[in-house]
Amino acid sequence: MTKVRYLTEMGMGVDVHGGDYTKAACRAVADALRHSSLNFFEPLGKSHNDMHITVKIGVAKPHLVDCATVAQQVPYGTVTVEPSTGGLNIDAADGSDELVIANAGILVHFID
């Protein structure tokens, strides 16, 4: 069996107040999903549930991402979330808050 990638989609999400890395990551995944229209199921003889989906999340503090919550943003398939260092933080002018920017890469594979 071979795992073959059929789609790569990117998104960006921001938590403007509160420094919530999971919220920013979920918004990045939602952004990526809104850019996708998958039309290859019938030609491949596959269903939505046959997808193996890797969600790569880039944030400044990857250990603060709740991977289970991020995985719930993807409605189909077997989902794996992989947080890593990336994204961007911007401190409030007075230092009392931070804006968190997350990047998401969604990779869709099928097993052939």
Side-chain angles (χ1 to χ4, degrees):
M1 289 195 265
T2 305
K3 191 174 179 181
V4 179
R5 186 187 311 177
Y6 283 87
L7 175 76
T8 303
E9 190 64 67
M10 289 70 60
M12 185 198 69
V14 180
D15 180 31
V16 178
H17 298 288
D20 189 323
Y21 289 85
T22 299
K23 185 184 288 186
C26 288
R27 289 177 176 171
V29 170
D31 180 52
L33 292 176
R34 280 193 299 272
H35 296 129
S36 298
S37 177
L38 309 180
N39 300 300
F40 45 64
F41 296 105
E42 189 173 327
L44 293 175
K46 305 284 186 179
S47 79
H48 292 82
N49 290 320
D50 293 324
M51 293 186 291
H52 293 263
I53 301 166
T54 303
V55 177
K56 294 181 171 281
I57 298 293
V59 291
K61 299 176 185 173
H63 65 282
L64 296 179
V65 174
D66 180 339
C67 294
T69 299
V70 174
Q72 291 174 356
Q73 303 302 303
V74 182
Y76 303 108
T78 302
V79 181
T80 303
V81 177
E82 299 176 353
S84 63
T85 303
L88 177 68
N89 288 357
I90 300 173
D91 293 329
D94 66 1
S96 65
D97 199 4
E98 73 180 340
L99 182 146
V100 173
I101 302 173
N103 296 105
I106 298 178
L107 312 175
V108 175
H109 296 85
F110 289 104
I111 305 292
D112 287 339

